[in-house]
Amino acid sequence: MTDHRAGSTDENAHTEAMAHDAIAITVAFDAIAFDADRALAPHRLMPPPGEIADLTDRLIAHGARLVGVVKTVPEAEHSVRAKGALKDWYDLTESGAGHGAMANWMHMRALARMCRTFMDYLREREGRGRP
């Protein structure tokens, strides 16, 4: 039985789902930011090749998730930076890293910068009351 004074069960479920989504997005952003920070560490702190490969794989997965969210926003509402980041993202993921340790490191760093750009864009939209 539903207590109508507190709202319907559907309304409560919707509110709980929204709260869960907000927590999931915050947790995801924290994980993405952690990986991006590691990828963008100064040259003297360059990770070993195995970690670069792992970080690259994670950043590609993070970026694909972020691109999916950005693409839910009508293209006419994309900022100039978001449009550029989408183009760069597709270029980076289609072309790959190139050859050699330095190329892999630079590719990983470019992916991290794109992830940061997408997160900044989504946070900015959220701050204006949009998803």
Side-chain angles (χ1 to χ4, degrees), residues 13-27:
H14 179 68
T15 302
E16 288 175 19
M18 287 175 48
H20 180 267
D21 288 347
I23 292 169
I25 289 169
T26 300
V27 170

Side-chain angles (χ1 to χ4, degrees), residues 5-121:
R5 293 173 296 173
S8 73
T9 303
D10 289 341
E11 288 173 1
N12 292 338
H14 179 68
T15 302
E16 288 175 19
M18 287 175 48
H20 180 267
D21 288 347
I23 292 169
I25 289 169
T26 300
V27 170
F29 273 24
D30 289 347
I32 296 167
F34 180 82
D35 285 342
D37 288 348
R38 178 64 179 126
L40 294 169
H43 184 265
R44 70 184 187 288
L45 300 174
M46 181 191 299
E51 187 177 345
I52 289 173
D54 290 343
L55 271 169
T56 299
D57 289 344
R58 286 198 306 273
L59 289 166
I60 288 171
H62 293 324
R65 185 176 183 187
L66 291 166
V67 166
V69 176
V70 170
K71 288 178 71 175
T72 65
V73 176
E75 191 174 334
E77 295 180 26
H78 288 176
S79 68
V80 171
R81 286 191 71 201
K83 288 178 185 178
L86 285 170
K87 181 189 177 313
D88 289 349
W89 178 259
Y90 292 123
D91 289 346
L92 283 168
T93 55
E94 288 173 11
S95 66
H99 301 287
M102 188 58 80
N104 292 336
W105 182 65
M106 291 175 58
H107 184 252
M108 174 195 67
R109 292 171 61 81
L111 292 169
R113 285 190 296 276
M114 294 302 96
C115 287
R116 279 189 174 176
T117 299
F118 294 136
M119 287 191 304
D120 290 346
Y121 169 68

